[in-house]
Amino acid sequence: TLFSRGLSSQISARKRKQEIWKKVGRIIDRAAAQSAMISKEQRKDRRIPISMPVLIQPYSEDSTDRMSPVYALTKDISEEGMAIVADSALPKMHIFCALWCDGPLCFVGCIRQSRNMGGGFYHIGIEFDELVNVADWDELRPAISLLKPEM
């Protein structure tokens, strides 16, 4: 029935979110251990200030055309999404994003806001939708490998 499909879809979406929360929780825990400063903003989830490189690949679900990938820096991160600072504006659309945390950590989501900060930089708000496997975006593997910090 329509009702049971809707409920099943909600449960499935919740499970996908929980997968994201587990993975992002590792990043948050590490950042919180390194920084006692917690954002005082009124939000439903706490945001942890953290700067790390991120690869962003905007895409459209109804097209095979993709913009070029963009490297940016995270500003803060939460279980629901992250804010980044990029040197180019990004349209509100679907995105693939990759971080490095003991290996590539990849998500799909959407850009919720893109605001010019001045000086050629843009504050971009991203909402996570689903954790994905880097193999699904194999053509970006060389660009993702550049995120790995040199020790």
PDB file of all heavy atoms in Angstrom, residues 1-41:
ATOM      1  N   THR A   1       0.839  -1.185   0.000  1.00  0.00           N
ATOM      2  CA  THR A   1       0.000   0.000   0.000  1.00  0.00           C
ATOM      3  C   THR A   1       0.880   1.243   0.000  1.00  0.00           C
ATOM      4  O   THR A   1       2.061   1.184   0.324  1.00  0.00           O
ATOM      5  CB  THR A   1      -0.929   0.015   1.232  1.00  0.00           C
ATOM      6  OG1 THR A   1      -0.139   0.187   2.385  1.00  0.00           O
ATOM      7  CG2 THR A   1      -1.783  -1.235   1.299  1.00  0.00           C
ATOM      8  N   LEU A   2       0.264   2.357  -0.320  1.00  0.00           N
ATOM      9  CA  LEU A   2       0.983   3.619  -0.353  1.00  0.00           C
ATOM     10  C   LEU A   2       1.554   3.962   1.007  1.00  0.00           C
ATOM     11  O   LEU A   2       2.685   4.397   1.127  1.00  0.00           O
ATOM     12  CB  LEU A   2       0.047   4.733  -0.846  1.00  0.00           C
ATOM     13  CG  LEU A   2       0.667   6.116  -0.954  1.00  0.00           C
ATOM     14  CD1 LEU A   2       1.814   6.081  -1.964  1.00  0.00           C
ATOM     15  CD2 LEU A   2      -0.373   7.125  -1.375  1.00  0.00           C
ATOM     16  N   PHE A   3       0.787   3.734   2.078  1.00  0.00           N
ATOM     17  CA  PHE A   3       1.245   4.066   3.422  1.00  0.00           C
ATOM     18  C   PHE A   3       2.476   3.239   3.807  1.00  0.00           C
ATOM     19  O   PHE A   3       3.454   3.765   4.314  1.00  0.00           O
ATOM     20  CB  PHE A   3       0.132   3.857   4.448  1.00  0.00           C
ATOM     21  CG  PHE A   3       0.591   4.112   5.854  1.00  0.00           C
ATOM     22  CD1 PHE A   3       0.794   5.402   6.307  1.00  0.00           C
ATOM     23  CD2 PHE A   3       0.841   3.053   6.710  1.00  0.00           C
ATOM     24  CE1 PHE A   3       1.235   5.634   7.592  1.00  0.00           C
ATOM     25  CE2 PHE A   3       1.285   3.279   8.004  1.00  0.00           C
ATOM     26  CZ  PHE A   3       1.480   4.558   8.451  1.00  0.00           C
ATOM     27  N   SER A   4       2.446   1.943   3.544  1.00  0.00           N
ATOM     28  CA  SER A   4       3.566   1.093   3.941  1.00  0.00           C
ATOM     29  C   SER A   4       4.819   1.407   3.136  1.00  0.00           C
ATOM     30  O   SER A   4       5.921   1.332   3.653  1.00  0.00           O
ATOM     31  CB  SER A   4       3.204  -0.388   3.818  1.00  0.00           C
ATOM     32  OG  SER A   4       2.937  -0.723   2.477  1.00  0.00           O
ATOM     33  N   ARG A   5       4.669   1.784   1.856  1.00  0.00           N
ATOM     34  CA  ARG A   5       5.836   2.188   1.069  1.00  0.00           C
ATOM     35  C   ARG A   5       6.433   3.469   1.628  1.00  0.00           C
ATOM     36  O   ARG A   5       7.635   3.615   1.688  1.00  0.00           O
ATOM     37  CB  ARG A   5       5.464   2.380  -0.394  1.00  0.00           C
ATOM     38  CG  ARG A   5       5.511   1.078  -1.175  1.00  0.00           C
ATOM     39  CD  ARG A   5       5.268   1.328  -2.606  1.00  0.00           C
ATOM     40  NE  ARG A   5       3.830   1.642  -2.704  1.00  0.00           N
ATOM     41  CZ  ARG A   5       3.220   2.035  -3.790  1.00  0.00           C
ATOM     42  NH1 ARG A   5       3.880   2.205  -4.889  1.00  0.00           N
ATOM     43  NH2 ARG A   5       1.931   2.268  -3.793  1.00  0.00           N
ATOM     44  N   GLY A   6       5.584   4.382   2.046  1.00  0.00           N
ATOM     45  CA  GLY A   6       6.074   5.631   2.628  1.00  0.00           C
ATOM     46  C   GLY A   6       6.823   5.378   3.919  1.00  0.00           C
ATOM     47  O   GLY A   6       7.877   5.949   4.169  1.00  0.00           O
ATOM     48  N   LEU A   7       6.301   4.497   4.754  1.00  0.00           N
ATOM     49  CA  LEU A   7       6.939   4.154   6.020  1.00  0.00           C
ATOM     50  C   LEU A   7       8.259   3.438   5.764  1.00  0.00           C
ATOM     51  O   LEU A   7       9.272   3.733   6.388  1.00  0.00           O
ATOM     52  CB  LEU A   7       6.012   3.289   6.877  1.00  0.00           C
ATOM     53  CG  LEU A   7       6.546   2.891   8.244  1.00  0.00           C
ATOM     54  CD1 LEU A   7       6.855   4.133   9.068  1.00  0.00           C
ATOM     55  CD2 LEU A   7       5.539   2.019   8.971  1.00  0.00           C
ATOM     56  N   SER A   8       8.262   2.522   4.805  1.00  0.00           N
ATOM     57  CA  SER A   8       9.480   1.799   4.448  1.00  0.00           C
ATOM     58  C   SER A   8      10.550   2.769   3.955  1.00  0.00           C
ATOM     59  O   SER A   8      11.715   2.647   4.293  1.00  0.00           O
ATOM     60  CB  SER A   8       9.172   0.762   3.376  1.00  0.00           C
ATOM     61  OG  SER A   8      10.346   0.145   2.934  1.00  0.00           O
ATOM     62  N   SER A   9      10.143   3.738   3.159  1.00  0.00           N
ATOM     63  CA  SER A   9      11.071   4.742   2.648  1.00  0.00           C
ATOM     64  C   SER A   9      11.650   5.574   3.787  1.00  0.00           C
ATOM     65  O   SER A   9      12.835   5.887   3.797  1.00  0.00           O
ATOM     66  CB  SER A   9      10.356   5.637   1.646  1.00  0.00           C
ATOM     67  OG  SER A   9      11.198   6.665   1.221  1.00  0.00           O
ATOM     68  N   GLN A  10      10.823   5.928   4.761  1.00  0.00           N
ATOM     69  CA  GLN A  10      11.295   6.707   5.911  1.00  0.00           C
ATOM     70  C   GLN A  10      12.290   5.905   6.732  1.00  0.00           C
ATOM     71  O   GLN A  10      13.307   6.432   7.176  1.00  0.00           O
ATOM     72  CB  GLN A  10      10.124   7.132   6.797  1.00  0.00           C
ATOM     73  CG  GLN A  10       9.275   8.222   6.199  1.00  0.00           C
ATOM     74  CD  GLN A  10       8.068   8.544   7.084  1.00  0.00           C
ATOM     75  OE1 GLN A  10       7.720   7.795   7.981  1.00  0.00           O
ATOM     76  NE2 GLN A  10       7.446   9.671   6.809  1.00  0.00           N
ATOM     77  N   ILE A  11      12.011   4.622   6.945  1.00  0.00           N
ATOM     78  CA  ILE A  11      12.914   3.767   7.709  1.00  0.00           C
ATOM     79  C   ILE A  11      14.241   3.620   6.970  1.00  0.00           C
ATOM     80  O   ILE A  11      15.310   3.713   7.572  1.00  0.00           O
ATOM     81  CB  ILE A  11      12.268   2.392   7.986  1.00  0.00           C
ATOM     82  CG1 ILE A  11      11.102   2.561   8.974  1.00  0.00           C
ATOM     83  CG2 ILE A  11      13.293   1.402   8.522  1.00  0.00           C
ATOM     84  CD1 ILE A  11      10.234   1.330   9.146  1.00  0.00           C
ATOM     85  N   SER A  12      14.171   3.431   5.655  1.00  0.00           N
ATOM     86  CA  SER A  12      15.380   3.306   4.846  1.00  0.00           C
ATOM     87  C   SER A  12      16.201   4.595   4.898  1.00  0.00           C
ATOM     88  O   SER A  12      17.418   4.550   5.033  1.00  0.00           O
ATOM     89  CB  SER A  12      15.003   2.980   3.405  1.00  0.00           C
ATOM     90  OG  SER A  12      16.143   2.937   2.598  1.00  0.00           O
ATOM     91  N   ALA A  13      15.546   5.736   4.808  1.00  0.00           N
ATOM     92  CA  ALA A  13      16.246   7.021   4.880  1.00  0.00           C
ATOM     93  C   ALA A  13      16.899   7.193   6.247  1.00  0.00           C
ATOM     94  O   ALA A  13      18.026   7.679   6.348  1.00  0.00           O
ATOM     95  CB  ALA A  13      15.280   8.169   4.603  1.00  0.00           C
ATOM     96  N   ARG A  14      16.210   6.788   7.292  1.00  0.00           N
ATOM     97  CA  ARG A  14      16.760   6.882   8.649  1.00  0.00           C
ATOM     98  C   ARG A  14      18.010   6.000   8.797  1.00  0.00           C
ATOM     99  O   ARG A  14      18.993   6.410   9.393  1.00  0.00           O
ATOM    100  CB  ARG A  14      15.690   6.480   9.666  1.00  0.00           C
ATOM    101  CG  ARG A  14      16.124   6.531  11.095  1.00  0.00           C
ATOM    102  CD  ARG A  14      16.237   7.944  11.566  1.00  0.00           C
ATOM    103  NE  ARG A  14      16.610   7.943  12.964  1.00  0.00           N
ATOM    104  CZ  ARG A  14      17.007   8.990  13.618  1.00  0.00           C
ATOM    105  NH1 ARG A  14      17.031  10.154  13.010  1.00  0.00           N
ATOM    106  NH2 ARG A  14      17.350   8.916  14.865  1.00  0.00           N
ATOM    107  N   LYS A  15      17.977   4.797   8.226  1.00  0.00           N
ATOM    108  CA  LYS A  15      19.131   3.900   8.288  1.00  0.00           C
ATOM    109  C   LYS A  15      20.329   4.504   7.553  1.00  0.00           C
ATOM    110  O   LYS A  15      21.464   4.406   8.013  1.00  0.00           O
ATOM    111  CB  LYS A  15      18.784   2.532   7.702  1.00  0.00           C
ATOM    112  CG  LYS A  15      17.940   1.685   8.631  1.00  0.00           C
ATOM    113  CD  LYS A  15      17.673   0.322   8.033  1.00  0.00           C
ATOM    114  CE  LYS A  15      16.836  -0.512   8.988  1.00  0.00           C
ATOM    115  NZ  LYS A  15      16.534  -1.832   8.447  1.00  0.00           N
ATOM    116  N   ARG A  16      20.068   5.136   6.395  1.00  0.00           N
ATOM    117  CA  ARG A  16      21.158   5.781   5.652  1.00  0.00           C
ATOM    118  C   ARG A  16      21.753   6.910   6.471  1.00  0.00           C
ATOM    119  O   ARG A  16      22.966   7.085   6.514  1.00  0.00           O
ATOM    120  CB  ARG A  16      20.657   6.289   4.298  1.00  0.00           C
ATOM    121  CG  ARG A  16      20.361   5.181   3.304  1.00  0.00           C
ATOM    122  CD  ARG A  16      20.168   5.709   1.889  1.00  0.00           C
ATOM    123  NE  ARG A  16      19.259   6.822   1.779  1.00  0.00           N
ATOM    124  CZ  ARG A  16      17.958   6.736   1.523  1.00  0.00           C
ATOM    125  NH1 ARG A  16      17.408   5.562   1.339  1.00  0.00           N
ATOM    126  NH2 ARG A  16      17.216   7.816   1.422  1.00  0.00           N
ATOM    127  N   LYS A  17      20.891   7.687   7.138  1.00  0.00           N
ATOM    128  CA  LYS A  17      21.376   8.784   7.988  1.00  0.00           C
ATOM    129  C   LYS A  17      22.221   8.228   9.137  1.00  0.00           C
ATOM    130  O   LYS A  17      23.250   8.796   9.489  1.00  0.00           O
ATOM    131  CB  LYS A  17      20.212   9.599   8.555  1.00  0.00           C
ATOM    132  CG  LYS A  17      19.508  10.448   7.551  1.00  0.00           C
ATOM    133  CD  LYS A  17      20.352  11.634   7.167  1.00  0.00           C
ATOM    134  CE  LYS A  17      19.537  12.568   6.289  1.00  0.00           C
ATOM    135  NZ  LYS A  17      20.294  13.727   5.888  1.00  0.00           N
ATOM    136  N   GLN A  18      21.794   7.110   9.741  1.00  0.00           N
ATOM    137  CA  GLN A  18      22.544   6.531  10.846  1.00  0.00           C
ATOM    138  C   GLN A  18      23.934   6.087  10.408  1.00  0.00           C
ATOM    139  O   GLN A  18      24.897   6.216  11.169  1.00  0.00           O
ATOM    140  CB  GLN A  18      21.764   5.370  11.464  1.00  0.00           C
ATOM    141  CG  GLN A  18      20.577   5.847  12.272  1.00  0.00           C
ATOM    142  CD  GLN A  18      19.699   4.708  12.769  1.00  0.00           C
ATOM    143  OE1 GLN A  18      19.735   3.608  12.234  1.00  0.00           O
ATOM    144  NE2 GLN A  18      18.910   4.993  13.787  1.00  0.00           N
ATOM    145  N   GLU A  19      24.061   5.574   9.187  1.00  0.00           N
ATOM    146  CA  GLU A  19      25.378   5.215   8.659  1.00  0.00           C
ATOM    147  C   GLU A  19      26.275   6.448   8.594  1.00  0.00           C
ATOM    148  O   GLU A  19      27.442   6.401   8.956  1.00  0.00           O
ATOM    149  CB  GLU A  19      25.259   4.630   7.250  1.00  0.00           C
ATOM    150  CG  GLU A  19      24.775   3.210   7.184  1.00  0.00           C
ATOM    151  CD  GLU A  19      24.776   2.716   5.740  1.00  0.00           C
ATOM    152  OE1 GLU A  19      25.786   2.902   5.038  1.00  0.00           O
ATOM    153  OE2 GLU A  19      23.748   2.158   5.327  1.00  0.00           O
ATOM    154  N   ILE A  20      25.696   7.548   8.118  1.00  0.00           N
ATOM    155  CA  ILE A  20      26.456   8.796   8.040  1.00  0.00           C
ATOM    156  C   ILE A  20      26.870   9.244   9.430  1.00  0.00           C
ATOM    157  O   ILE A  20      28.016   9.611   9.665  1.00  0.00           O
ATOM    158  CB  ILE A  20      25.637   9.899   7.327  1.00  0.00           C
ATOM    159  CG1 ILE A  20      25.464   9.542   5.853  1.00  0.00           C
ATOM    160  CG2 ILE A  20      26.306  11.261   7.488  1.00  0.00           C
ATOM    161  CD1 ILE A  20      24.511  10.448   5.104  1.00  0.00           C
ATOM    162  N   TRP A  21      25.944   9.212  10.385  1.00  0.00           N
ATOM    163  CA  TRP A  21      26.235   9.676  11.745  1.00  0.00           C
ATOM    164  C   TRP A  21      27.396   8.908  12.358  1.00  0.00           C
ATOM    165  O   TRP A  21      28.237   9.478  13.031  1.00  0.00           O
ATOM    166  CB  TRP A  21      25.005   9.570  12.630  1.00  0.00           C
ATOM    167  CG  TRP A  21      23.856  10.418  12.184  1.00  0.00           C
ATOM    168  CD1 TRP A  21      23.913  11.507  11.354  1.00  0.00           C
ATOM    169  CD2 TRP A  21      22.493  10.244  12.509  1.00  0.00           C
ATOM    170  NE1 TRP A  21      22.655  12.011  11.149  1.00  0.00           N
ATOM    171  CE2 TRP A  21      21.758  11.255  11.846  1.00  0.00           C
ATOM    172  CE3 TRP A  21      21.794   9.338  13.288  1.00  0.00           C
ATOM    173  CZ2 TRP A  21      20.390  11.383  11.961  1.00  0.00           C
ATOM    174  CZ3 TRP A  21      20.436   9.462  13.397  1.00  0.00           C
ATOM    175  CH2 TRP A  21      19.743  10.478  12.740  1.00  0.00           C
ATOM    176  N   LYS A  22      27.455   7.605  12.127  1.00  0.00           N
ATOM    177  CA  LYS A  22      28.541   6.793  12.681  1.00  0.00           C
ATOM    178  C   LYS A  22      29.888   7.245  12.129  1.00  0.00           C
ATOM    179  O   LYS A  22      30.853   7.410  12.871  1.00  0.00           O
ATOM    180  CB  LYS A  22      28.334   5.316  12.344  1.00  0.00           C
ATOM    181  CG  LYS A  22      27.248   4.651  13.130  1.00  0.00           C
ATOM    182  CD  LYS A  22      27.117   3.190  12.688  1.00  0.00           C
ATOM    183  CE  LYS A  22      25.848   2.567  13.194  1.00  0.00           C
ATOM    184  NZ  LYS A  22      25.666   1.209  12.653  1.00  0.00           N
ATOM    185  N   LYS A  23      29.957   7.414  10.811  1.00  0.00           N
ATOM    186  CA  LYS A  23      31.224   7.794  10.175  1.00  0.00           C
ATOM    187  C   LYS A  23      31.630   9.220  10.534  1.00  0.00           C
ATOM    188  O   LYS A  23      32.778   9.486  10.854  1.00  0.00           O
ATOM    189  CB  LYS A  23      31.133   7.645   8.656  1.00  0.00           C
ATOM    190  CG  LYS A  23      30.915   6.231   8.195  1.00  0.00           C
ATOM    191  CD  LYS A  23      32.121   5.377   8.484  1.00  0.00           C
ATOM    192  CE  LYS A  23      31.931   3.990   7.899  1.00  0.00           C
ATOM    193  NZ  LYS A  23      33.098   3.141   8.087  1.00  0.00           N
ATOM    194  N   VAL A  24      30.677  10.146  10.455  1.00  0.00           N
ATOM    195  CA  VAL A  24      30.986  11.538  10.767  1.00  0.00           C
ATOM    196  C   VAL A  24      31.310  11.678  12.252  1.00  0.00           C
ATOM    197  O   VAL A  24      32.127  12.509  12.647  1.00  0.00           O
ATOM    198  CB  VAL A  24      29.835  12.473  10.340  1.00  0.00           C
ATOM    199  CG1 VAL A  24      30.072  13.888  10.819  1.00  0.00           C
ATOM    200  CG2 VAL A  24      29.692  12.455   8.826  1.00  0.00           C
ATOM    201  N   GLY A  25      30.712  10.829  13.079  1.00  0.00           N
ATOM    202  CA  GLY A  25      31.001  10.843  14.517  1.00  0.00           C
ATOM    203  C   GLY A  25      32.480  10.656  14.794  1.00  0.00           C
ATOM    204  O   GLY A  25      33.031  11.252  15.727  1.00  0.00           O
ATOM    205  N   ARG A  26      33.158   9.835  13.996  1.00  0.00           N
ATOM    206  CA  ARG A  26      34.601   9.629  14.162  1.00  0.00           C
ATOM    207  C   ARG A  26      35.361  10.930  13.921  1.00  0.00           C
ATOM    208  O   ARG A  26      36.291  11.266  14.656  1.00  0.00           O
ATOM    209  CB  ARG A  26      35.093   8.545  13.221  1.00  0.00           C
ATOM    210  CG  ARG A  26      34.603   7.166  13.611  1.00  0.00           C
ATOM    211  CD  ARG A  26      35.027   6.083  12.661  1.00  0.00           C
ATOM    212  NE  ARG A  26      36.456   6.102  12.414  1.00  0.00           N
ATOM    213  CZ  ARG A  26      37.020   5.594  11.318  1.00  0.00           C
ATOM    214  NH1 ARG A  26      36.274   5.053  10.390  1.00  0.00           N
ATOM    215  NH2 ARG A  26      38.317   5.622  11.155  1.00  0.00           N
ATOM    216  N   ILE A  27      34.978  11.649  12.871  1.00  0.00           N
ATOM    217  CA  ILE A  27      35.640  12.923  12.576  1.00  0.00           C
ATOM    218  C   ILE A  27      35.366  13.912  13.701  1.00  0.00           C
ATOM    219  O   ILE A  27      36.260  14.610  14.175  1.00  0.00           O
ATOM    220  CB  ILE A  27      35.165  13.489  11.222  1.00  0.00           C
ATOM    221  CG1 ILE A  27      35.613  12.576  10.090  1.00  0.00           C
ATOM    222  CG2 ILE A  27      35.685  14.909  11.016  1.00  0.00           C
ATOM    223  CD1 ILE A  27      35.048  12.949   8.737  1.00  0.00           C
ATOM    224  N   ILE A  28      34.107  13.974  14.146  1.00  0.00           N
ATOM    225  CA  ILE A  28      33.728  14.902  15.206  1.00  0.00           C
ATOM    226  C   ILE A  28      34.480  14.594  16.492  1.00  0.00           C
ATOM    227  O   ILE A  28      34.992  15.497  17.161  1.00  0.00           O
ATOM    228  CB  ILE A  28      32.201  14.878  15.420  1.00  0.00           C
ATOM    229  CG1 ILE A  28      31.499  15.490  14.213  1.00  0.00           C
ATOM    230  CG2 ILE A  28      31.815  15.608  16.706  1.00  0.00           C
ATOM    231  CD1 ILE A  28      29.996  15.335  14.214  1.00  0.00           C
ATOM    232  N   ASP A  29      34.559  13.315  16.851  1.00  0.00           N
ATOM    233  CA  ASP A  29      35.266  12.932  18.074  1.00  0.00           C
ATOM    234  C   ASP A  29      36.726  13.358  18.024  1.00  0.00           C
ATOM    235  O   ASP A  29      37.273  13.863  19.003  1.00  0.00           O
ATOM    236  CB  ASP A  29      35.166  11.427  18.305  1.00  0.00           C
ATOM    237  CG  ASP A  29      33.768  10.989  18.703  1.00  0.00           C
ATOM    238  OD1 ASP A  29      32.945  11.857  19.084  1.00  0.00           O
ATOM    239  OD2 ASP A  29      33.496   9.783  18.624  1.00  0.00           O
ATOM    240  N   ARG A  30      37.366  13.148  16.889  1.00  0.00           N
ATOM    241  CA  ARG A  30      38.769  13.566  16.747  1.00  0.00           C
ATOM    242  C   ARG A  30      38.917  15.072  16.849  1.00  0.00           C
ATOM    243  O   ARG A  30      39.812  15.587  17.507  1.00  0.00           O
ATOM    244  CB  ARG A  30      39.332  13.080  15.420  1.00  0.00           C
ATOM    245  CG  ARG A  30      39.590  11.617  15.397  1.00  0.00           C
ATOM    246  CD  ARG A  30      40.188  11.203  14.089  1.00  0.00           C
ATOM    247  NE  ARG A  30      40.360   9.766  14.094  1.00  0.00           N
ATOM    248  CZ  ARG A  30      40.846   9.089  13.077  1.00  0.00           C
ATOM    249  NH1 ARG A  30      41.199   9.722  11.989  1.00  0.00           N
ATOM    250  NH2 ARG A  30      40.968   7.790  13.144  1.00  0.00           N
ATOM    251  N   ALA A  31      38.024  15.788  16.189  1.00  0.00           N
ATOM    252  CA  ALA A  31      38.106  17.247  16.208  1.00  0.00           C
ATOM    253  C   ALA A  31      37.818  17.790  17.595  1.00  0.00           C
ATOM    254  O   ALA A  31      38.469  18.732  18.052  1.00  0.00           O
ATOM    255  CB  ALA A  31      37.128  17.843  15.201  1.00  0.00           C
ATOM    256  N   ALA A  32      36.858  17.207  18.295  1.00  0.00           N
ATOM    257  CA  ALA A  32      36.502  17.665  19.630  1.00  0.00           C
ATOM    258  C   ALA A  32      37.653  17.431  20.600  1.00  0.00           C
ATOM    259  O   ALA A  32      37.888  18.238  21.507  1.00  0.00           O
ATOM    260  CB  ALA A  32      35.238  16.958  20.119  1.00  0.00           C
ATOM    261  N   ALA A  33      38.377  16.356  20.410  1.00  0.00           N
ATOM    262  CA  ALA A  33      39.522  16.074  21.272  1.00  0.00           C
ATOM    263  C   ALA A  33      40.638  17.085  21.051  1.00  0.00           C
ATOM    264  O   ALA A  33      41.375  17.406  21.974  1.00  0.00           O
ATOM    265  CB  ALA A  33      40.033  14.662  21.016  1.00  0.00           C
ATOM    266  N   GLN A  34      40.731  17.598  19.837  1.00  0.00           N
ATOM    267  CA  GLN A  34      41.780  18.562  19.508  1.00  0.00           C
ATOM    268  C   GLN A  34      41.372  19.998  19.782  1.00  0.00           C
ATOM    269  O   GLN A  34      42.204  20.887  19.840  1.00  0.00           O
ATOM    270  CB  GLN A  34      42.169  18.429  18.034  1.00  0.00           C
ATOM    271  CG  GLN A  34      42.799  17.103  17.706  1.00  0.00           C
ATOM    272  CD  GLN A  34      43.017  16.933  16.215  1.00  0.00           C
ATOM    273  OE1 GLN A  34      42.654  17.778  15.426  1.00  0.00           O
ATOM    274  NE2 GLN A  34      43.619  15.823  15.846  1.00  0.00           N
ATOM    275  N   SER A  35      40.085  20.231  19.922  1.00  0.00           N
ATOM    276  CA  SER A  35      39.607  21.600  20.093  1.00  0.00           C
ATOM    277  C   SER A  35      38.476  21.644  21.104  1.00  0.00           C
ATOM    278  O   SER A  35      37.465  20.972  20.945  1.00  0.00           O
ATOM    279  CB  SER A  35      39.117  22.144  18.746  1.00  0.00           C
ATOM    280  OG  SER A  35      38.479  23.375  18.931  1.00  0.00           O
ATOM    281  N   ALA A  36      38.640  22.433  22.136  1.00  0.00           N
ATOM    282  CA  ALA A  36      37.590  22.560  23.148  1.00  0.00           C
ATOM    283  C   ALA A  36      36.553  23.581  22.732  1.00  0.00           C
ATOM    284  O   ALA A  36      35.517  23.724  23.373  1.00  0.00           O
ATOM    285  CB  ALA A  36      38.203  22.956  24.483  1.00  0.00           C
ATOM    286  N   MET A  37      36.829  24.313  21.660  1.00  0.00           N
ATOM    287  CA  MET A  37      35.907  25.354  21.226  1.00  0.00           C
ATOM    288  C   MET A  37      34.728  24.753  20.479  1.00  0.00           C
ATOM    289  O   MET A  37      34.882  24.130  19.441  1.00  0.00           O
ATOM    290  CB  MET A  37      36.629  26.338  20.316  1.00  0.00           C
ATOM    291  CG  MET A  37      35.811  27.546  19.961  1.00  0.00           C
ATOM    292  SD  MET A  37      36.761  28.667  18.944  1.00  0.00           S
ATOM    293  CE  MET A  37      36.126  28.246  17.344  1.00  0.00           C
ATOM    294  N   ILE A  38      33.547  24.885  21.003  1.00  0.00           N
ATOM    295  CA  ILE A  38      32.329  24.394  20.378  1.00  0.00           C
ATOM    296  C   ILE A  38      31.502  25.608  19.954  1.00  0.00           C
ATOM    297  O   ILE A  38      31.372  26.575  20.678  1.00  0.00           O
ATOM    298  CB  ILE A  38      31.499  23.531  21.351  1.00  0.00           C
ATOM    299  CG1 ILE A  38      32.333  22.378  21.875  1.00  0.00           C
ATOM    300  CG2 ILE A  38      30.214  23.057  20.725  1.00  0.00           C
ATOM    301  CD1 ILE A  38      32.699  21.337  20.848  1.00  0.00           C
ATOM    302  N   SER A  39      30.934  25.526  18.776  1.00  0.00           N
ATOM    303  CA  SER A  39      30.096  26.609  18.284  1.00  0.00           C
ATOM    304  C   SER A  39      28.916  26.838  19.218  1.00  0.00           C
ATOM    305  O   SER A  39      28.293  25.909  19.701  1.00  0.00           O
ATOM    306  CB  SER A  39      29.591  26.261  16.879  1.00  0.00           C
ATOM    307  OG  SER A  39      28.692  27.231  16.431  1.00  0.00           O
ATOM    308  N   LYS A  40      28.584  28.092  19.455  1.00  0.00           N
ATOM    309  CA  LYS A  40      27.488  28.441  20.358  1.00  0.00           C
ATOM    310  C   LYS A  40      26.180  28.693  19.607  1.00  0.00           C
ATOM    311  O   LYS A  40      25.213  29.159  20.163  1.00  0.00           O
ATOM    312  CB  LYS A  40      27.862  29.688  21.156  1.00  0.00           C
ATOM    313  CG  LYS A  40      29.147  29.551  21.946  1.00  0.00           C
ATOM    314  CD  LYS A  40      28.860  29.271  23.383  1.00  0.00           C
ATOM    315  CE  LYS A  40      30.100  29.331  24.223  1.00  0.00           C
ATOM    316  NZ  LYS A  40      30.775  28.086  24.396  1.00  0.00           N
ATOM    317  N   GLU A  41      26.149  28.404  18.301  1.00  0.00           N
ATOM    318  CA  GLU A  41      24.943  28.632  17.518  1.00  0.00           C
ATOM    319  C   GLU A  41      23.801  27.752  18.001  1.00  0.00           C
ATOM    320  O   GLU A  41      24.013  26.669  18.522  1.00  0.00           O
ATOM    321  CB  GLU A  41      25.215  28.311  16.041  1.00  0.00           C
ATOM    322  CG  GLU A  41      26.274  29.179  15.409  1.00  0.00           C
ATOM    323  CD  GLU A  41      26.594  28.733  13.990  1.00  0.00           C
ATOM    324  OE1 GLU A  41      25.886  27.876  13.449  1.00  0.00           O
ATOM    325  OE2 GLU A  41      27.564  29.256  13.441  1.00  0.00           O
TER     326      GLU A  41
END
